[in-house]
Amino acid sequence: ERYKSNIKEIASLTRKNFGEDVNLILIAPPPVCHDARLKFQKDKYKDKATGKLERTLELSGQYAKAMTEVATELELPCLDVWTMMQDSSSTTQPWQEYLSDGLHLSAAGNKFVGEALIDLINDLLPELAVTPCTYTGNINSSSRSSISMRRIAPWHDEIDYLQPEKSFGA
Protein backbone atom coordinates (compact mmCIF):
# COMPACT_ATOMS: atom_id res chain seq x y z
CA GLU A 1 0.00 0.00 0.00
CA ARG A 2 2.89 2.37 0.68
CA TYR A 3 4.19 1.82 -2.86
CA LYS A 4 0.77 2.62 -4.30
CA SER A 5 0.53 5.73 -2.14
CA ASN A 6 3.95 6.87 -3.32
CA ILE A 7 3.04 6.42 -7.00
CA LYS A 8 -0.18 8.41 -6.47
CA GLU A 9 1.81 11.16 -4.74
CA ILE A 10 4.30 11.34 -7.62
CA ALA A 11 1.43 11.62 -10.11
CA SER A 12 -0.23 14.30 -7.98
CA LEU A 13 2.97 16.33 -7.60
CA THR A 14 3.66 16.06 -11.32
CA ARG A 15 0.22 17.42 -12.14
CA LYS A 16 0.50 20.11 -9.46
CA ASN A 17 3.84 21.31 -10.83
CA PHE A 18 3.28 20.85 -14.56
CA GLY A 19 -0.49 21.21 -14.97
CA GLU A 20 -3.51 18.98 -14.76
CA ASP A 21 -3.33 18.35 -18.51
CA VAL A 22 0.15 16.82 -18.40
CA ASN A 23 0.22 13.32 -19.90
CA LEU A 24 1.56 10.65 -17.58
CA ILE A 25 2.50 7.08 -18.36
CA LEU A 26 3.21 4.66 -15.54
CA ILE A 27 5.78 1.94 -16.14
CA ALA A 28 5.68 -1.28 -14.15
CA PRO A 29 9.04 -2.76 -13.12
CA PRO A 30 10.60 -5.61 -15.06
CA PRO A 31 10.76 -9.17 -13.78
CA VAL A 32 13.73 -10.43 -11.76
CA CYS A 33 15.86 -13.34 -12.98
CA HIS A 34 16.98 -15.30 -9.93
CA ASP A 35 19.90 -17.13 -11.56
CA ALA A 36 21.38 -13.98 -13.07
CA ARG A 37 20.89 -12.06 -9.82
CA LEU A 38 22.76 -14.71 -7.81
CA LYS A 39 25.53 -14.85 -10.43
CA PHE A 40 25.91 -11.07 -10.24
CA GLN A 41 26.10 -11.24 -6.45
CA LYS A 42 28.77 -13.95 -6.57
CA ASP A 43 30.79 -12.11 -9.25
CA LYS A 44 30.66 -8.84 -7.33
CA TYR A 45 31.07 -9.99 -3.73
CA LYS A 46 33.01 -13.22 -4.32
CA ASP A 47 33.28 -15.23 -1.08
CA LYS A 48 31.25 -12.59 0.80
CA ALA A 49 28.18 -13.23 -1.36
CA THR A 50 25.25 -14.37 0.79
CA GLY A 51 23.64 -16.53 -1.88
CA LYS A 52 20.29 -15.07 -0.85
CA LEU A 53 18.12 -13.07 -3.21
CA GLU A 54 17.47 -9.47 -2.19
CA ARG A 55 14.84 -9.22 -4.97
CA THR A 56 12.56 -11.92 -6.35
CA LEU A 57 10.36 -12.51 -9.36
CA GLU A 58 7.36 -12.82 -7.03
CA LEU A 59 8.09 -9.48 -5.33
CA SER A 60 8.67 -7.66 -8.62
CA GLY A 61 5.35 -9.11 -9.79
CA GLN A 62 3.61 -7.65 -6.75
CA TYR A 63 5.08 -4.23 -7.52
CA ALA A 64 4.05 -4.55 -11.18
CA LYS A 65 0.51 -5.50 -10.17
CA ALA A 66 0.35 -2.53 -7.79
CA MET A 67 1.51 -0.20 -10.58
CA THR A 68 -1.14 -1.45 -12.99
CA GLU A 69 -3.80 -1.08 -10.28
CA VAL A 70 -2.78 2.53 -9.61
CA ALA A 71 -2.80 3.24 -13.34
CA THR A 72 -6.34 1.87 -13.58
CA GLU A 73 -7.46 3.85 -10.54
CA LEU A 74 -5.95 7.10 -11.86
CA GLU A 75 -7.08 6.33 -15.43
CA LEU A 76 -3.51 6.50 -16.73
CA PRO A 77 -1.84 4.37 -19.36
CA CYS A 78 0.60 1.80 -17.99
CA LEU A 79 3.42 -0.01 -19.71
CA ASP A 80 3.41 -3.36 -17.92
CA VAL A 81 7.03 -4.32 -18.55
CA TRP A 82 6.85 -7.22 -16.07
CA THR A 83 4.14 -8.97 -18.07
CA MET A 84 5.33 -7.94 -21.52
CA MET A 85 8.85 -9.26 -21.03
CA GLN A 86 7.58 -12.65 -19.95
CA ASP A 87 5.02 -12.86 -22.76
CA SER A 88 6.84 -14.82 -25.45
CA SER A 89 4.59 -13.38 -28.18
CA SER A 90 5.87 -9.83 -27.49
CA THR A 91 9.58 -10.64 -27.26
CA THR A 92 12.20 -11.65 -29.77
CA GLN A 93 14.53 -13.28 -27.24
CA PRO A 94 14.34 -14.84 -23.77
CA TRP A 95 13.26 -12.16 -21.28
CA GLN A 96 16.27 -12.89 -19.07
CA GLU A 97 18.47 -11.34 -21.78
CA TYR A 98 16.71 -8.01 -21.22
CA LEU A 99 18.37 -7.80 -17.79
CA SER A 100 22.06 -7.03 -17.27
CA ASP A 101 22.35 -8.44 -13.75
CA GLY A 102 19.01 -10.14 -13.24
CA LEU A 103 17.46 -6.86 -12.04
CA HIS A 104 18.47 -3.88 -14.19
CA LEU A 105 17.79 -3.48 -17.90
CA SER A 106 20.49 -4.44 -20.38
CA ALA A 107 20.96 -2.60 -23.69
CA ALA A 108 18.48 -5.04 -25.25
CA GLY A 109 16.09 -4.45 -22.34
CA ASN A 110 16.28 -0.68 -22.75
CA LYS A 111 15.58 -1.09 -26.47
CA PHE A 112 12.63 -3.37 -25.71
CA VAL A 113 11.12 -0.92 -23.21
CA GLY A 114 11.81 2.08 -25.47
CA GLU A 115 10.11 0.48 -28.45
CA ALA A 116 7.16 -0.64 -26.31
CA LEU A 117 6.84 2.89 -24.92
CA ILE A 118 6.86 4.40 -28.42
CA ASP A 119 4.14 1.92 -29.45
CA LEU A 120 2.04 2.82 -26.39
CA ILE A 121 2.41 6.55 -27.11
CA ASN A 122 1.51 6.06 -30.78
CA ASP A 123 -1.56 4.02 -29.81
CA LEU A 124 -2.88 5.91 -26.77
CA LEU A 125 -1.39 9.42 -27.05
CA PRO A 126 -0.90 9.95 -30.79
CA GLU A 127 -0.70 13.72 -30.31
CA LEU A 128 2.61 13.11 -28.50
CA ALA A 129 4.05 10.78 -31.11
CA VAL A 130 7.45 11.89 -32.27
CA THR A 131 8.12 11.96 -35.98
CA PRO A 132 11.67 10.78 -36.69
CA CYS A 133 14.18 13.04 -38.40
CA THR A 134 13.62 12.89 -42.15
CA TYR A 135 17.37 12.65 -42.76
CA THR A 136 18.53 10.14 -40.17
CA GLY A 137 15.35 8.34 -39.15
CA ASN A 138 16.29 8.95 -35.51
CA ILE A 139 13.97 10.33 -32.85
CA ASN A 140 16.85 11.63 -30.76
CA SER A 141 17.98 14.49 -32.96
CA SER A 142 17.04 18.15 -33.07
CA SER A 143 15.23 17.77 -36.37
CA ARG A 144 12.63 15.36 -35.02
CA SER A 145 9.18 16.77 -34.29
CA SER A 146 6.01 16.30 -32.26
CA ILE A 147 2.71 18.01 -32.88
CA SER A 148 1.84 18.98 -29.34
CA MET A 149 4.66 18.05 -27.01
CA ARG A 150 5.43 21.02 -24.83
CA ARG A 151 8.53 21.50 -22.80
CA ILE A 152 7.70 21.35 -19.10
CA ALA A 153 11.10 20.82 -17.54
CA PRO A 154 14.74 21.64 -18.19
CA TRP A 155 16.95 19.45 -20.34
CA HIS A 156 19.21 17.19 -18.31
CA ASP A 157 22.27 19.33 -19.05
CA GLU A 158 20.49 22.43 -17.77
CA ILE A 159 20.01 21.05 -14.25
CA ASP A 160 22.36 22.35 -11.57
CA TYR A 161 23.32 19.13 -9.83
CA LEU A 162 24.31 21.03 -6.70
CA GLN A 163 20.92 22.73 -6.41
CA PRO A 164 18.52 20.79 -8.66
CA GLU A 165 15.41 22.39 -7.11
CA LYS A 166 16.43 25.74 -8.65
CA SER A 167 16.30 24.18 -12.10
CA PHE A 168 12.65 23.33 -11.61
CA GLY A 169 11.52 26.72 -10.37
CA ALA A 170 11.20 25.59 -6.76
Side-chain angles (χ1 to χ4, degrees):
E1 290 304 311
R2 183 174 174 200
Y3 179 70
K4 285 182 173 183
S5 176
N6 288 341
I7 297 303
K8 291 175 192 177
E9 180 70 11
I10 290 168
S12 175
L13 287 170
T14 302
R15 289 211 161 119
K16 178 182 171 190
N17 287 293
F18 300 113
E20 287 298 317
D21 63 338
V22 70
N23 290 294
L24 301 175
I25 298 172
L26 300 183
I27 302 177
V32 173
C33 176
H34 294 174
D35 291 341
R37 197 70 197 140
L38 290 171
K39 180 184 179 318
F40 169 79
Q41 185 188 102
K42 186 171 175 106
D43 290 347
K44 182 172 182 176
Y45 299 107
K46 311 277 186 245
D47 59 336
K48 293 182 181 169
T50 65
K52 295 178 184 173
L53 291 167
E54 81 284 7
R55 307 280 195 292
T56 65
L57 180 62
E58 180 184 2
L59 183 61
S60 64
Q62 291 171 5
Y63 279 103
K65 183 175 185 275
M67 182 67 78
T68 60
E69 289 172 355
V70 170
T72 299
E73 182 181 333
L74 299 179
E75 298 181 357
L76 294 173
C78 182
L79 186 65
D80 184 359
V81 174
W82 193 87
T83 300
M84 290 177 68
M85 279 190 175
Q86 295 178 86
D87 177 7
S88 61
S89 68
S90 67
T91 63
T92 58
Q93 60 196 69
W95 66 266
Q96 295 85 345
E97 293 179 20
Y98 292 130
L99 304 169
S100 63
D101 59 2
L103 178 65
H104 300 98
L105 296 174
S106 63
N110 278 298
K111 185 174 192 272
F112 175 83
V113 171
E115 289 173 350
L117 187 56
I118 288 170
D119 289 345
L120 185 144
I121 290 169
N122 289 341
D123 291 345
L124 301 179
L125 301 165
E127 70 279 6
L128 297 181
V130 176
T131 304
C133 170
T134 55
Y135 304 106
T136 67
N138 292 328
I139 62 168
N140 61 346
S141 68
S142 60
S143 59
R144 55 93 175 114
S145 64
S146 174
I147 296 171
S148 65
M149 193 177 303
R150 63 186 169 101
R151 183 174 172 191
I152 60 172
W155 293 105
H156 71 281
D157 59 354
E158 296 173 332
I159 298 172
D160 178 353
Y161 72 94
L162 295 173
Q163 297 178 306
E165 65 280 354
K166 288 188 175 183
S167 301
F168 293 90

